[in-house]
């Protein structure tokens, strides 16, 4: 099995910040808006280089979305930035009415998603955002796994016409993906396997790779697929894999209701009914703690993936 290693850990929000900075240098249509969280969203360098293309809206997220929608009318490509909870739950009506319904070219960029936000606790740890955003007609939903992929995704969505939700996080995680072009809607097969398919997104991709190594040591061959784009979902790569392995585990830092797992389940139900297990939060809010503590408690780490794999294989 192919092994993945890393030499450094970086937060995915820094991938967004560096991608936005590069866009500031290469695409004059790109503008940025923030709801009083410049440092948290790593927008500092973009602002330093392009002060006339940045708008500090303050703690007024609904207003930020409305302004962003208006800026598209003049041909601008607005990137909005705040925490995932405030990027979706607080402004869902504005996104639905002013962005999705009218097909505005707004990039809703959301940091601090999931329980890995850590000590800020349940009020900030949104675990419903993927479900909220993927249900909006015409909305593209992207959840990259590391710094390199987040930077590449940030750059790629500027050339994509239409509303996008880009989700990333706060903790420093392994940088293991190559620095390559990001292709929206195309999953990436990371390892080949014959016994089980593991489809993961975001922070759970690295955990799934670690799980695959643990499973290999026990004689279980796992095929790991990085689904960075939740919508549109790369159904072909999933169906091709399960045709070989006969069972699947989905892994995500999100509620099991409404996330990647349900999208995969729908695909399987319509095309190839297959045993599936879900690694996700179980219809619950989070709590305060370190990212590592919370990932373990809520069953979102490599050990949880291993357990789910063994369960789903027993159902074949």
């Amino acid at each position: 099995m192919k092994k993945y290693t890393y030499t450094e850990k970086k937060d995915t929000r820094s991938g967004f910040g560096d991608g936005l900075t590069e866009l500031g240098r290469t695409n004059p249509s790109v503008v940025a808006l923030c709801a009083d969280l410049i440092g948290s969203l790593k927008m500092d360098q973009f602002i330093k280089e392009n002060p006339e293309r940045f708008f500090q809206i303050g703690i007024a997220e609904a207003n930020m979305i409305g302004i962003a929608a208006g800026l598209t009318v003049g041909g601008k490509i607005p990137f909005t930035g705040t925490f995932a909870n405030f990027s979706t739950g607080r402004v869902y009506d504005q996104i639905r009415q002013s962005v999705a319904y009218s097909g505005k070219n707004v990039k809703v960029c959301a940091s601090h998603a999931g329980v890995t936000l850590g000590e800020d606790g349940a009020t900030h740890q949104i675990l419903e955002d993927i479900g909220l955003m993927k249900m909006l007609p015409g909305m593209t939903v992207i959840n990259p796994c590391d710094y390199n992929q987040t930077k590449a995704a940030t750059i790629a969505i500027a050339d994509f016409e239409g509303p996008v939700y880009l989700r990333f996080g706060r903790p420093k995680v392994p940088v293991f993906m190559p620095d390559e072009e990001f292709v929206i809607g195309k999953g990436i097969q990371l390892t080949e396997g014959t016994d089980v398919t593991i489809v993961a997104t975001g922070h759970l991709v690295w955990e799934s790779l670690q799980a695959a190594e643990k499973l290999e040591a026990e004689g279980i061959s796992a095929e790991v697929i990085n689904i960075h784009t939740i919508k549109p979902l790369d159904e072909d790569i999933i169906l091709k894999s399960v045709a070989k392995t006969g069972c699947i585990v989905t892994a995500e830092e999100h509620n099991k209701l409404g996330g990647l797992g349900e999208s995969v389940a729908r695909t399987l139900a319509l095309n190839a009914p297959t045993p599936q297990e879900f690694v996700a939060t179980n219809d619950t809010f989070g709590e305060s703690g370190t990212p590592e503590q919370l990932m373990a408690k809520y069953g979102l780490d490599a050990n949880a993936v291993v357990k789910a794999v063994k369960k789903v294989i027993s159902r074949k």
Side-chain angles (χ1 to χ4, degrees), residues 40-52:
S40 294
L41 271 290
K42 303 297 183 180
M43 289 180 162
D44 308 75
Q45 189 61 31
F46 177 90
I47 298 168
K48 181 179 179 181
E49 297 181 15
N50 310 279
E52 76 288 353

Side-chain angles (χ1 to χ4, degrees), residues 78-157:
F79 282 64
T80 68
T82 185
F83 288 179
N85 190 29
F86 310 141
S87 287
T88 57
R90 179 170 287 181
V91 295
Y92 196 68
D93 178 62
Q94 284 73 26
I95 293 174
R96 182 183 187 275
Q97 304 297 99
S98 299
V99 177
Y101 177 65
S102 52
K104 293 295 192 295
N105 192 30
V106 174
K107 316 306 175 185
V108 180
C109 303
S111 183
H112 294 57
V115 295
T116 50
L117 171 54
E119 291 82 354
D120 284 6
T123 56
H124 288 51
Q125 295 165 348
I126 194 164
L127 295 162
E128 316 91 63
D129 53 317
I130 290 174
L132 287 169
M133 300 306 281
K134 80 174 187 179
M135 287 190 293
L136 290 171
M139 180 67 70
T140 293
V141 180
I142 298 173
N143 186 40
C145 66
D146 72 352
Y147 167 88
N148 284 342
Q149 195 167 73
T150 307
K151 180 181 178 182
T154 303
I155 294 168
I157 64 175

Side-chain angles (χ1 to χ4, degrees), residues 182-243:
F182 185 88
V183 182
I184 296 171
K186 293 296 181 182
I188 302 171
Q189 183 176 315
L190 299 178
T191 70
E192 293 187 10
T194 56
D195 296 325
V196 63
T197 299
I198 303 173
V199 170
T201 188
H203 293 144
L204 267 294
V205 175
W206 176 256
E207 297 296 328
S208 295
L209 288 171
Q210 299 309 293
E213 291 192 19
K214 293 175 183 284
L215 291 163
E216 184 185 41
E218 299 183 36
I220 299 173
S221 175
E223 186 153 290
V224 180
I225 298 172
N226 175 359
I227 294 292
H228 50 69
T229 306
I230 311 294
K231 181 188 175 188
L233 182 67
D234 188 347
E235 297 185 345
D236 290 341
I237 196 172
I238 295 168
L239 293 172
K240 180 180 178 181
S241 182
V242 297

Side-chain angles (χ1 to χ4, degrees), residues 196-199 233 238 242 246-252 256 259-269 272-280 308-309 311-313 315-316:
V196 63
T197 299
I198 303 173
V199 170
L233 182 67
I238 295 168
V242 297
C247 62
I248 188 169
V249 169
T250 52
E252 60 191 311
K256 69 178 182 180
L260 169 66
E262 284 202 344
S263 290
V264 171
R266 182 187 65 248
T267 298
L268 297 175
T274 306
Q276 177 181 352
E277 289 293 329
F278 298 74
V279 173
V309 164
K311 184 175 180 180
V312 81
I313 287 176
R315 295 173 52 206
K316 287 170 85 172

